[in-house]
Amino acid sequence: MAYGLDELYKHLDELREKAKLGGGTQAIEKQHERGKLTARERLELLLDPGSFVEIDEFAVHHCFDFGMEKRKCLGDGVVTGFGTINGRPVFVYAQDFTFMGGSLGERHAEKIAKILDTALKAGIPVIGLNDSGGARIQEGVASLRGYGEIFYRNVMASGVIPQIIAIMGPSAGGAVYSPALCDFIFMVKKTSYMFITGPKVVKAAIGEDVTFEQLGGAEVHAKLSGIAHFIAENDEDCINQIRALYSYLPFNNMDDPPYMDTGDPPDRVDKDLDTVVPADPKQPYNMYDVINKVVDAGTFLEVHRYYAPNAIVGFARLNGRVVGIVANQPMIYAGCLDIDSSDKIARFVRFCDCFNIPLITFVDVPGYLPGTRQEHGGVIRHGAKVIYAYSEATVPKLTVICRKAYGGAYIAMCSRHLGGDMVFAWPTAEIAVMGPEGAVEIVFKHEVMKAKTPEEAQEIINRLTADYRAKFANPYVAAERGWIDKVIKPSETRMYLCKALDVLITKREIQPRPPKKHGNIPA
Ligand code: HXC
């Protein structure tokens, strides 16, 4: 029997309307009661108005077990497609908790895998909004296969297109590994959590009482585990933050990050910078002041704000160009590198290197944090990651040594010896094997022991420390040898970084690297 065209189009409209309802109006109400938006509402906020093109909206599962043939929903619990953010294309998927808790069945997984495949071919980033009870229990091993297919694609896409995930509900069990394989994870306070095993299993297995929030809430992962790079107050805040991050990212590893005219003059001299570093080398100062005064006004977007705050990493613009900022924070642990800050820095450096984002490193580091907790936790292998990541990186690498640059940490923080392309130092820089006090204690032990009174010993220590400081704790010993390219006043930092970036933006490696399948970064 032939249908009229009107009927055909009406049928399509009806199907589209049905698909929009996901798990139904009641489930949508429940989602709102939980303080969460639905998958479609989230995508509407994420993408430019009218830009979203949904695909696979009529996909359904083909499971016949446990009465599943009667429980179908167009789209199968995940909304997928593409659209734009500030006019720049992006592939997206959003799990729909209103249908079977956003659980991942075979078709659901195939839809996500298709997005990843298409995004990879197109060279366009993917943003996933996760809100899921994990593997769809009724579909058994088929849903495990689904996860496997997604993980594999996450790995194939890693370093080729940026992959961003927001956890906007549960993420439990093996499901956590897709986000963990991506570049950036956002979490929403109070409504999202991530863990391998939930509170009930924890209680049964080891008798520990713990809530969802304590085990794997947003704040726990932002501060303690470092799994969450960004945390948000609610869904809207999360989506605004994703949009902001997206404006710094290139589409793929063959693309440059997006230039934007910020109107901030590259030769702007900020005299306040000349007094940032206190006269007393033991006094801390706030490295955020340095970063914010040097980069284009208001452009610093911090990554991992709450994790390992003795180091600072994030994106900014310098004369309109996107750069990756890495810095020590003298306010916390005197800016020492430790296990967590090493992981944080190495991961960020590698992201920037994957995606052609030049690195600017601000150094004030007295060394690696001492103690059994650090040594037994493997600070050696974690610290090695920083050296590995900077050495491996081929993007333009500019370094500013603000004050302390001691020992192995001096080398690790993008020194010339690891391929720093232009190393600037302020007159306050102290580049040495170790701090004057520690050096004197070791090298001049015998002279100090000759003292007849404690007062005399202190006098000798003071004199030798001053001698050592005058000889080594300055930038000029390294500058003599060409390991510092230029000693600059702090107020001139922005100007010189902008000038250096102008000439280095076209940088190519001139020495071919040895052919290899891939390196073996310490883990
Ligand atoms: C099928 C699921 C489901 C799942 C939730 N639902 N999770 N259906 N498979 N994994 C369904 C519920 O039955 C319910 O259906 C609806 O989704 C909403 O769930 P509620 O429980 O009512 O919501 P809430 O109280 O908010 O609790 C959410 C939840 C809970 C904490 C996520 O549903 C839960 O604990 N689910 C199971 C989580 C889990 O153990 N997943 C497997 C993890 S192992 P109705 O019919 O009432 O609407 C895993 C392995 C992956 O994922 C391995 C990959 C390598």
Side-chain angles (χ1 to χ4, degrees), residues 41 59 95-96 131 152 168 177 278 288 296 334 391 423 430 437 475 505:
E41 287 164 346
Q95 290 180 310
D96 179 2
D131 187 358
Y152 182 79
M168 307 183 85
Y177 285 113
Y288 287 113
D296 293 359
S391 304
V423 181
E430 303 175 13
E437 291 80 8
I505 201 75

Side-chain angles (χ1 to χ4, degrees), residues 307-312 327-330 332-333 335-338 341 344 369:
Y307 182 64
N310 43 326
I312 301 170
N328 308 113
Q329 169 58 296
I332 298 178
Y333 298 151
C336 273
L337 285 176
D338 63 348
S341 58
K344 166 168 160 174
L369 191 66

Side-chain angles (χ1 to χ4, degrees), residues 99-111:
F99 178 63
M100 299 191 74
S103 57
L104 183 137
E106 194 171 31
R107 190 72 63 245
H108 178 125
E110 281 168 359
K111 285 182 64 174

Side-chain angles (χ1 to χ4, degrees), residues 296-311:
D296 293 359
T299 62
F300 183 53
L301 179 92
E302 190 168 8
V303 177
H304 259 155
R305 173 92 177 87
Y306 304 101
Y307 182 64
N310 43 326

Side-chain angles (χ1 to χ4, degrees), residues 27 30 34 36 68 71 97-104 132-139 143-145 147-148 151 170-177 193 195-196 200 212:
K30 220 169 158 192
R34 289 185 179 100
K36 302 196 290 183
M68 283 289 283
R71 279 195 92 178
F97 194 82
T98 65
F99 178 63
M100 299 191 74
S103 57
L104 183 137
S132 167
R136 188 174 294 158
I137 295 160
Q138 293 87 335
E139 294 199 38
S143 45
L144 294 187
R145 173 233 162 197
Y147 273 119
F151 299 167
S171 178
V176 296
Y177 285 113
Y193 45 88
F195 39 67
I196 299 277
K200 276 190 192 145
F212 280 68

